Amino acid sequence: MASSAFDDALGALLSSGDDHRRAGDLDRALEAYTKAADLTEVPTGAVCVRLARVSADAGRVDEARDWALRTVDAGDDFASWDAAARAFAPIGLAAGATKRTVRVAILGSYTTTYVTRLLQLVAARRGVRVECYESAYDQFRQEMLDPSSGLHAFAPQLIVFAVDARAVVLPEWSDQPEADIEAEVAGWRNLWARADDLGASVIQHNFVVAPEAALAHLDAQLAGSRYHMLTQLNARIAAELPANSHVVDCERLASTFGKNRWLDPLWWDRAKLAVSLPATPVLVRHTAAVIAGQLGLARKCLVIDLDNTLWGGVIGEDGVDGLKLGGDASGDAFLVFQDHLLALKRRGVILAACSKNDDHVAREPFERHPEMRVRLSDFAAFVANWRSKVDNIVEIATDLSIGLDALAYVDDNPVERQEVRRFLPDVDVIPLPAQPSSYTRALADYAWFETGTVTAEDAQRTAHYQARAEVNRLERSAASIDDFYRELQMAGSLRPFDDTDLARIAQLVGKTNQFNLTARRHDLRALQAMITDDRYVHVSLRLRDRYADHGLVGVVIAKQDGEVLDIDTWLMSCRVIGRTAEQAMLGALARAGTERGCTTLRGTYVPTGKNALVKDLYPTLGFTLEAANDAGNGATTTWRRAIDDDARAGSPYIDLEVGAGRGAA
Amino acid sequence: MALHERLQDVFRDVFNNPGLVVDGTTTSADIPEWDSLQHVTLLFRIEDEFGVEFLGDEAASLGNVGELESLLTQKGCG
């Protein structure tokens, strides 16, 4: 459809919807807007906002919320985001869709009202409920330092320093630039230390260097120029920010966006807005991405289509020699794209291939094309067949044992993209433009791979996930479940807690959601106390198999109560669920109980909304129901089981070395 | 579309009120949601819709919708 005819069609549907809404005919308004939404691959912001509003009018809260949040996907249009944020605010995130709640203080050197409001919207789109505190205009230093300030009462978990270069004390010209920069850095270090006192991590916006310089070129070389000093200051801030705090690189965002549009002096004069309204969605999207990364909600895996995405052409028709890949203008773009994928992999993003092809045909370019940069070994999963992309993406997630909400998907084909959006709404779909030269930029603009740290382990992550995928494939191919367990060749150890393991144990106790019977979040100090208390039995499980060493993956804590051993905490990492490790842990508990003269095990299941996986664990292990007590979130149940040979036997499939010690037997 | 209708559509969209009717005498006192922040949004949307930029004191001194319309007319809109 030609662009003007398309604009006309869209405009006509929107005005028709507007007329119906004005006349109170909400059903027909909804119908017209829905048609408008179907005109484009991703509904425009204006359409999403209208659907959110008319849904709210009609009392359809879930649809209103959904459309308000989808506005964010339509692009960085300020007017739409602002309207969507207003529609969303009175509704809020559904309890079931809330992955995290985080208390964020926005400390600004300018009017941050828009930043705050839009941040709540875009964070909600990622499942994060942001409770916000905003400092009074340009009062961030005072509020940080004053223990009686509203900021201190709010007790933030995260502090966003939403600051602009006006907050920097550096002069226009300095005769002692190094000392001046040092003094400025010291001021920020002091604020970060106060944030640490408050128990908050810092998200630091760095400084956008204004385009206005006395001498635009020489200033870049003169150490005393403010331009030069601000550039140095940004580098110092990046280097000296404390652990678990992160920079939002506003200087780079503004350069990409266009500084003349990012910094609009008119809006500073009018409303003390240091970031122009059209630029605010970009700033907020990236701030939210850094927050999500810090919360561990980054997308972990990128699923990549092959034909016309990883290389130019269709391998099944063009053959290896006919592919566009390096060599000329139309092939070079794909090499740049492949290099970018490898750069992501180096930072811990797992790559997976997903293609509609015969498997051996899809592998040919990797085996034979001399220009290929990405190798088969770079993929944690490689799926090529003629089933739908939706089925294959689900299989990839299953093989890698990660949620669909950890996946992003990139494909040149709008039909495939639509199918994935429709049937797998948890997967982020990254659209590619028609022009392959623009692929890399489109992927780089996707912000949600942003993660808190890059460690040596991240670069090795692919190998770890390849092992996981092998295990899951073995499960599907094994003749019986017994064969599967045996072929895994599992071995491990059951040992009482010791000091070296305690940090890892505390981490598991703090974050394990699915296989966690009671979700009691004992901290390091509480765990240390249990180790020295004779009443407690505590066992950690380490497990390895033919594919990987999983490390410490299971924790159980029980307290002796006369002849009863009462299970306080029992959890396992999702990596090793479904492998009889729970029987092995039951065995350790039962043997420890026998040693202490206990005759009975008692277990409790506390439903949390995330641990339905283990609802039936106790009956499966031969426990019988003792009591049920419904406290709103579903029934908390308690269970009993006699300690007998059967319980003490453990798992026949896991070759165990059993550690000596007071806790475990 | 005439200037008045275009302007009214901006008001309706900004204040999410499809039935909103503004005339020359409408001021911020007549629209409860028209606070200082929404004033900023409104200004931004009007400039965007009409492709104009108000000078410093023009934006500050706008008393009612009638003055806004005559200012837009002066700037060659509608």
Side-chain angles (χ1 to χ4, degrees):
Chain A
M1 207 184 303
S3 141
S4 64
F6 166 78
D7 287 346
D8 290 349
L10 184 64
L13 284 168
L14 291 187
S15 356
S16 145
D18 291 353
D19 290 342
H20 289 310
R21 184 178 175 219
R22 187 157 35 251
D25 190 344
L26 301 180
D27 286 342
R28 291 179 70 188
L30 204 57
E31 191 185 329
Y33 294 149
T34 306
K35 277 186 191 157
D38 289 338
L39 284 181
T40 45
E41 186 187 339
V42 178
T44 68
V47 172
C48 293
V49 165
R50 282 173 166 82
L51 279 161
R53 286 173 167 178
V54 78
S55 301
D57 290 352
R60 302 181 180 189
V61 176
D62 291 335
E63 282 99 327
R65 175 194 299 116
D66 191 42
W67 283 110
L69 294 179
R70 284 178 68 176
T71 308
V72 171
D73 301 343
D76 296 328
D77 173 50
F78 168 76
S80 303
W81 280 42
D82 185 52
R86 282 181 176 268
F88 176 74
I91 301 172
L93 202 49
T98 308
K99 294 177 184 165
R100 295 291 165 82
T101 298
V102 60
R103 300 158 63 75
V104 179
I106 312 278
L107 302 192
S109 61
Y110 56 89
T111 305
T112 51
T113 324
Y114 288 105
V115 170
T116 303
R117 188 194 292 167
L118 298 190
L119 183 66
Q120 288 173 311
L121 177 77
V122 69
R125 174 68 185 83
R126 316 310 297 188
V128 178
R129 193 162 77 87
V130 171
E131 292 173 0
C132 269
Y133 173 84
E134 252 187 298
S135 67
Y137 168 74
D138 202 20
Q139 294 292 305
F140 67 98
R141 288 193 180 88
Q142 294 87 324
E143 295 211 24
M144 282 300 289
L145 300 176
D146 175 5
S148 68
S149 69
L151 171 69
H152 284 248
F154 176 71
Q157 294 161 290
L158 277 178
I159 292 178
V160 177
F161 285 109
V163 288
D164 72 307
R166 292 179 191 84
V168 173
V169 188
L170 295 171
E172 192 284 315
W173 179 265
S174 169
D175 291 324
Q176 39 163 14
E178 278 178 24
D180 283 354
I181 292 169
E182 189 54 49
E184 181 68 26
V185 173
W188 286 103
R189 267 198 304 257
N190 185 35
L191 290 176
W192 300 333
R194 297 287 81 72
D196 191 52
D197 295 343
L198 279 169
S201 302
V202 167
I203 305 283
Q204 177 76 44
H205 287 180
N206 72 4
F207 301 105
V208 179
V209 186
E212 296 85 359
L215 295 176
H217 305 284
L218 192 58
D219 272 13
Q221 290 176 276
L222 297 174
S225 74
R226 182 174 159 91
Y227 176 91
H228 195 276
M229 289 188 288
L230 278 173
T231 306
Q232 300 293 310
L233 176 63
N234 278 341
R236 289 284 300 274
I237 282 177
E240 296 186 30
L241 204 59
N244 206 30
S245 292
H246 295 94
V247 161
V248 176
D249 193 355
C250 298
E251 166 63 18
R252 188 175 60 78
L253 292 177
S255 301
T256 310
F257 187 84
K259 283 189 180 177
N260 284 339
R261 291 192 300 132
W262 184 286
L263 302 171
D264 188 339
L266 174 67
W267 285 99
W268 174 259
D269 292 341
R270 279 181 182 170
K272 297 293 171 274
L273 290 165
V275 181
S276 73
L277 296 180
T280 301
V282 179
L283 175 68
V284 169
R285 183 161 58 87
H286 284 267
T287 302
V290 171
I291 292 174
Q294 203 168 51
L295 296 175
L297 296 175
R299 297 278 153 160
K300 292 191 178 79
C301 172
L302 177 61
V303 180
I304 305 148
D305 168 57
L306 299 179
D307 286 333
N308 280 318
T309 298
L310 196 66
W311 54 65
V314 175
I315 180 63
E317 290 168 18
D318 302 323
V320 171
D321 301 333
L323 293 184
K324 288 179 226 153
L325 191 58
D328 60 17
S330 59
D332 279 345
F334 294 97
L335 292 186
V336 174
F337 188 66
Q338 291 195 9
D339 283 339
H340 190 81
L341 294 174
L342 292 174
L344 284 172
K345 179 186 170 235
R346 174 65 189 74
R347 284 156 185 77
V349 176
I350 309 157
L351 306 182
C354 183
S355 171
K356 277 191 177 155
N357 262 312
D358 287 328
D359 184 72
H360 71 279
V361 175
R363 288 172 190 266
E364 261 185 83
F366 297 95
E367 288 155 356
R368 287 186 38 220
H369 200 294
E371 295 284 350
M372 283 291 290
R373 304 279 170 87
V374 174
R375 317 307 311 176
L376 280 172
S377 59
D378 291 319
F379 294 109
F382 188 95
V383 178
N385 55 42
W386 295 96
R387 296 187 310 164
S388 77
K389 289 279 171 84
V390 168
D391 288 346
N392 283 333
I393 289 172
V394 170
E395 181 179 319
I396 286 170
T398 310
D399 279 354
L400 300 176
S401 303
I402 55 180
L404 289 166
D405 63 359
L407 299 183
Y409 169 65
V410 65
D411 196 324
D412 69 299
N413 183 336
V415 177
E416 311 267 37
R417 294 198 297 254
Q418 265 314 53
E419 192 189 336
V420 173
R421 278 197 195 92
R422 177 159 309 158
F423 294 104
L424 304 175
D426 287 341
V427 175
D428 272 352
V429 176
I430 306 172
L432 290 177
Q435 173 58 265
S437 297
S438 304
Y439 278 12
T440 300
R441 192 166 290 172
L443 180 57
D445 189 53
Y446 177 78
W448 305 100
F449 292 128
E450 198 70 39
T451 178
T453 51
V454 173
T455 63
E457 208 176 275
D458 291 318
Q460 301 304 318
R461 190 171 289 160
T462 297
H464 178 72
Y465 279 88
Q466 280 167 342
R468 239 194 237 194
E470 286 297 328
V471 170
N472 288 321
R473 275 194 284 277
L474 174 61
E475 182 171 15
R476 281 201 297 273
S477 67
S480 72
I481 194 73
D482 285 341
D483 288 348
F484 167 64
Y485 292 145
R486 261 192 297 277
E487 284 169 27
L488 271 177
Q489 298 167 15
M490 291 183 284
S493 68
L494 288 164
R495 283 210 304 256
F497 297 175
D498 62 37
D499 286 338
T500 47
D501 286 339
L502 216 54
R504 166 69 178 156
I505 290 165
Q507 190 189 39
L508 281 173
V509 169
K511 76 172 190 188
T512 305
N513 289 321
Q514 295 185 65
F515 192 116
N516 194 338
L517 274 306
T518 56
R520 291 177 187 146
R521 307 296 189 189
H522 305 296
D523 62 12
L524 193 58
R525 212 167 294 164
L527 291 168
Q528 267 158 346
M530 288 175 185
I531 290 191
T532 53
D533 185 334
D534 276 343
R535 291 170 300 171
Y536 283 94
V537 172
H538 40 87
V539 185
S540 69
L541 168 73
R542 288 173 181 279
L543 194 68
R544 60 181 186 276
D545 59 40
R546 63 191 276 194
Y547 300 110
D549 184 344
H550 302 286
L552 201 164
V553 285
V555 170
V556 65
I557 300 168
K559 188 178 180 185
Q560 184 175 2
D561 176 11
E563 292 192 347
V564 175
L565 195 54
D566 185 62
I567 304 168
D568 171 273
T569 292
W570 189 356
L571 58 89
M572 281 196 325
S573 157
C574 58
R575 292 184 215 172
V576 296
I577 290 171
R579 298 183 174 195
T580 72
E582 57 276 17
Q583 286 175 33
M585 296 182 77
L586 176 71
L589 273 181
R591 291 189 297 271
T594 302
E595 218 173 55
R596 291 158 170 264
C598 297
T599 58
T600 305
L601 288 171
R602 183 164 61 215
T604 306
Y605 168 70
V606 183
T608 61
K610 289 177 180 169
N611 64 350
L613 178 74
V614 289
K615 189 161 80 71
D616 295 324
L617 180 78
Y618 284 124
T620 306
L621 292 175
F623 285 66
T624 52
L625 188 63
E626 185 181 73
N629 172 25
D630 199 330
N633 214 353
T636 292
T637 46
T638 50
W639 303 79
R640 294 176 83 93
R641 189 199 200 290
I643 296 179
D644 53 19
D645 286 345
D646 198 24
R648 284 185 290 264
S651 161
Y653 305 104
I654 303 177
D655 187 14
L656 283 174
E657 42 176 286
V658 178
R662 189 177 55 239
Chain B
M1 209 194 298
L3 185 146
H4 176 77
E5 272 70 42
R6 277 173 77 190
L7 189 61
Q8 182 163 273
D9 276 355
V10 173
F11 272 81
R12 286 173 170 179
D13 195 36
V14 167
F15 295 111
N16 184 25
N17 182 349
L20 182 66
V21 175
V22 296
D23 61 25
T25 65
T26 305
T27 69
S28 57
D30 301 315
I31 301 176
E33 296 83 13
W34 191 346
D35 56 20
S36 61
L37 193 74
Q38 280 298 70
H39 186 72
V40 171
T41 309
L42 190 63
L43 216 53
F44 172 79
R45 294 290 303 278
I46 292 169
E47 289 184 335
D48 187 50
E49 168 69 23
F50 291 94
V52 297
E53 199 170 89
F54 300 124
L55 299 181
D57 27 355
E58 288 174 346
S61 66
L62 290 172
N64 60 36
V65 172
E67 287 173 31
L68 191 58
E69 284 187 16
S70 36
L71 189 60
L72 286 169
T73 310
Q74 271 174 44
K75 289 182 177 288
C77 305

